[in-house]
Amino acid sequence: MDKFDRQILNAIQHDTRLTSEKLSQLVGLSQDACRKRLLKLREEGVIEQEIAVLSPEKVGRDLLMIVGVTMAVETTHEVDVFKARMHDAPEVMQCYYVTGESDFIIVLSVPDMPNYESFVREHFLSGVGVASFRTNVVMDRVKVGFALPVLD
Amino acid sequence: MDKFDRQILNAIQHDTRLTSEKLSQLVGLSQDACRKRLLKLREEGVIEQEIAVLSPEKVGRDLLMIVGVTMAVETTHEVDVFKARMHDAPEVMQCYYVTGESDFIIVLSVPDMPNYESFVREHFLSGVGVASFRTNVVMDRVKVGFALPVLD
DNA sequence: ACTGAAAAAAACACGTA
DNA sequence: TACGTGTTTTTTTCAGT
């Protein structure tokens, strides 16, 4: 991974729709060289996904919540089951297993409060080993993305 | 926004590299119809970004943290300044302004602990109005993305 | 919204440093 | 092993219907 790879990565983190042409101009390499590097970065798993980010409001998901979940008993099994549940729940945009006060931190998106209540009832309050959870309602998405500047 | 739009959105949230051909097969519309809808969705801001998600580990950012920040005095000015700082900090992948125990929740990525310490010193401990903060170290990225299933 | 042509971009094979 | 050039193929774009 050299300077060129890093430049390519930094560019496509903000916009995957850049053409090979613009990308090549940006990094100072031929189009084909850029393309080959991109292929390799994808194969190696450096690039995990190429995705579209939607406006939650414009698709009727006005509520964005960030919830810290603490498990009652943190056995391997309990944790794995909970991970699987979060992975499969469509409301869950992101889920992290963490150290600290919470065991899980979850970013989730719902149309409204009743929907959030349903989610809570189904996933936190129905004997799945959740001891407690702290809810934060998002008022402003100050910064959204996974941009991860790869420094030289 | 109808069923077709929703199907298109659901598809490209997971993969922006789908060709018009595959997309059209998926939603059962002609290529051109899909394309026009995509254009419109972009124009309307329903699609905010099209981005690449990198593997933090593979670009030397082994530490992923989620930090809850509580401000000392929550005036408009203080909040705006802090928002701007977070927006500009390259370590910050995501930042949300929230209600609840914390005022801000920040997802940040650093190479190692010393770098995290530097970040904390610079952004939380140098008279910028931060009263306290709670750090969570991410052990597992259970689910990552912004996928937001648009239900029928 | 579909069809077919034109334009653009990406993919590929080859030659080269 | 990785870059670049020219060619082919695919994909996107844009008419007209």
Side-chain angles (χ1 to χ4, degrees):
Chain A
M1 165 117 43
D2 60 8
K3 178 187 154 198
F4 296 118
D5 284 322
R6 285 191 281 270
Q7 285 185 315
I8 291 171
L9 291 172
N10 286 334
I12 61 160
Q13 284 188 88
H14 299 285
D15 187 7
T16 49
R17 286 171 51 75
L18 272 100
T19 60
S20 293
E21 196 190 353
K22 282 175 198 158
L23 199 56
S24 69
Q25 291 168 356
L26 220 65
V27 308
L29 229 52
S30 77
Q31 294 186 23
D32 208 49
C34 283
R35 195 182 61 83
K36 282 172 187 161
R37 279 164 179 271
L38 258 178
L39 274 176
K40 205 166 154 196
L41 290 166
R42 279 197 265 260
E43 274 172 15
E44 289 169 346
V46 178
I47 298 169
E48 288 185 345
Q49 310 184 62
E50 283 159 85
I51 61 171
V53 178
L54 308 191
S55 160
E57 294 85 4
K58 298 210 171 156
V59 293
R61 297 287 201 90
D62 288 280
L63 273 187
L64 195 62
M65 316 287 243
I66 301 180
V67 188
V69 172
T70 305
M71 304 300 281
V73 283
E74 205 177 338
T75 64
T76 317
H77 178 70
E78 292 277 339
V79 166
D80 285 347
V81 167
F82 191 77
K83 280 184 184 180
R85 287 178 74 91
M86 292 303 102
H87 193 89
D88 293 342
E91 297 92 344
V92 174
M93 291 170 66
Q94 298 170 41
C95 175
Y96 301 94
Y97 182 45
V98 299
T99 65
E101 274 178 88
S102 302
D103 295 315
F104 287 95
I105 292 177
I106 295 152
V107 179
L108 63 95
S109 164
V110 285
D112 49 37
M113 265 301 173
N115 275 277
Y116 179 60
E117 277 190 53
S118 305
F119 181 89
V120 164
R121 210 180 300 277
E122 184 181 346
H123 291 100
F124 300 159
L125 304 177
S126 50
V128 289
V130 172
S132 67
F133 61 97
R134 279 172 299 283
T135 302
N136 299 277
V137 180
V138 173
M139 293 184 287
D140 184 16
R141 298 188 299 145
V142 179
K143 186 171 187 174
V144 174
F146 288 103
L148 197 64
V150 188
L151 308 169
D152 281 334
Chain B
M1 164 115 44
D2 60 8
K3 177 188 156 197
F4 295 118
D5 283 323
R6 285 192 280 271
Q7 287 186 314
I8 291 171
L9 291 173
N10 286 334
I12 61 159
Q13 284 188 90
H14 295 103
D15 188 7
T16 48
R17 288 173 51 75
L18 274 102
T19 60
S20 294
E21 196 189 353
K22 283 175 197 157
L23 198 58
S24 69
Q25 291 169 355
L26 220 65
V27 307
L29 228 55
S30 77
Q31 294 187 23
D32 210 48
C34 282
R35 195 181 62 84
K36 279 173 187 159
R37 280 164 181 270
L38 257 179
L39 274 175
K40 204 166 155 196
L41 290 166
R42 280 198 263 261
E43 272 171 17
E44 288 170 347
V46 178
I47 297 169
E48 289 185 346
Q49 311 185 61
E50 284 160 84
I51 61 171
V53 178
L54 307 191
S55 160
E57 295 84 3
K58 298 210 173 157
V59 294
R61 297 287 199 93
D62 288 281
L63 272 186
L64 194 63
M65 316 287 244
I66 301 180
V67 187
V69 171
T70 306
M71 303 299 280
V73 283
E74 207 176 337
T75 64
T76 316
H77 178 70
E78 292 275 340
V79 166
D80 286 346
V81 167
F82 191 76
K83 281 184 184 180
R85 289 178 72 91
M86 292 302 103
H87 193 89
D88 294 341
E91 296 92 345
V92 174
M93 291 170 67
Q94 299 171 42
C95 174
Y96 301 94
Y97 183 45
V98 300
T99 65
E101 275 178 89
S102 301
D103 295 316
F104 288 95
I105 292 177
I106 295 152
V107 179
L108 64 93
S109 165
V110 284
D112 48 40
M113 264 302 171
N115 274 276
Y116 179 61
E117 276 191 53
S118 305
F119 181 89
V120 165
R121 211 181 299 276
E122 183 181 346
H123 292 99
F124 299 158
L125 305 177
S126 50
V128 289
V130 172
S132 67
F133 62 96
R134 278 172 299 284
T135 302
N136 299 278
V137 180
V138 174
M139 293 184 288
D140 185 16
R141 298 188 298 146
V142 179
K143 188 170 186 175
V144 174
F146 289 103
L148 199 63
V150 187
L151 309 169
D152 279 333

